Amino acid sequence: MRIIIVKDYNELSKKAANIVASQMILKPNSVLGFATGSTPTGTYKELVRIYNEGNISFREIVTFNLDEYYGLDRANVQSYYYYMNENLFSKVDIDYANVHIPDGRAIDIEAECEDYEAGIKKAGGIDLQLLGIGRNGHIGFNEPDVKFEARTHLVELDEDTIKANSRFFSSEEEVPKTAISMGIKTIMHSRRIVLLASGEEKAEIIYSMVKGKITPELPASVLQLHPDVVVILDEKAGAIISKHCNCMTQQ
Ligand code: F6R
């Protein structure tokens, strides 16, 4: 696991976007795994900037998102489909036929999850997966005590996740209680992983993810076993881990 600590959120976003952009330049038909939430919005903004400068194209890029709330359709402003469209897809030359986000309105959930997995396999697997991390250590919506061998599946959201994500809704009651998420096994099969964390509320969980025991109680700890993970932190998220490892610090 390579840990890079940068000064602030701006630098984190630039660093992450540069890694994604270089992947796209090296392999224009890359399969990219995308995350949502607050953390990667700056990265998407930077990617749009790099795109507008004419340095990257999404024409041949294939995407798979980590998760979607169950019960929300694409047009819902809280859906992750809407988020991706707002933050990235509508601003670049992506072919929507290559965009994959679990269907939050699927009636046959099992079939939806199987199709999602089959789609990833057919695309040749994920070249680079972008991740955020929940305060409880979740990646995607794989909450504590998830099975490491899980593939895409329906998950029940943790109380902590519902609380944390209620900031995007008008009340906590409105936050969906379930979601469809790529499983840990799916994430672990990605060739490269870039995990981003910003702010002091992530400092403790980042320390445990890197230095703690590998356990389903902290889903992100499984990343210690992946051969190609880059963790990009701003100074606040890196405040504890920086005292315990040889992190690369970039100003
Ligand atoms: C969302 C996702 C989640 C978030 C995590 C952190 O697609 O995969 O695991 O990355 O909940 O969210 P933020 O970035 O809002 O702190």
Side-chain angles (χ1 to χ4, degrees), residues 35-40 66-67 80 132-134 138-140 167-168 202:
T36 56
S38 307
T39 315
L66 281 168
D67 40 24
Y80 286 161
I133 183 169
H138 74 207
I139 46 177
R167 69 190 193 278
F168 301 114
K202 300 284 172 72

